Amino acid sequence: MARPQMLKLPEVLTELGMSRAGFYRMRARGKGPRLIKLPNGQLRVRRSDLDTWLSGCEEAA
């Protein structure tokens, strides 16, 4: 079974066209894709979680 693709936060920000500060403001409001915190403190987003979240944004628009 293949491991899910994990995106680094800068990759997610580039894809969304957002600043890091804007992303964290959105997360503080309870919005945004699910994040995974690695043991070393770095953040990752599963490709599937980002795609699912973006699909939900389309429906809400």
Side-chain angles (χ1 to χ4, degrees), residues 26-52:
M26 179 176 66
R27 295 273 310 152
R29 292 191 307 265
K31 308 289 183 191
R34 189 167 71 173
L35 297 177
I36 298 167
K37 189 171 188 177
L38 300 178
N40 64 4
Q42 293 182 1
L43 299 174
R44 296 289 187 272
V45 178
R46 282 188 188 97
R47 171 88 254 168
S48 58
D49 288 343
L50 181 60
D51 291 342
T52 300

Side-chain angles (χ1 to χ4, degrees), residues 3-61:
R3 288 188 3 215
Q5 182 183 7
M6 304 290 275
L7 302 171
K8 294 179 181 179
L9 190 56
E11 295 171 314
V12 174
L13 297 175
T14 298
E15 187 166 332
L16 297 178
M18 294 186 78
S19 68
R20 185 177 295 263
F23 182 81
Y24 282 117
R25 280 194 302 271
M26 179 176 66
R27 295 273 310 152
R29 292 191 307 265
K31 308 289 183 191
R34 189 167 71 173
L35 297 177
I36 298 167
K37 189 171 188 177
L38 300 178
N40 64 4
Q42 293 182 1
L43 299 174
R44 296 289 187 272
V45 178
R46 282 188 188 97
R47 171 88 254 168
S48 58
D49 288 343
L50 181 60
D51 291 342
T52 300
W53 177 76
L54 285 171
S55 293
C57 291
E58 288 176 8
E59 295 168 7

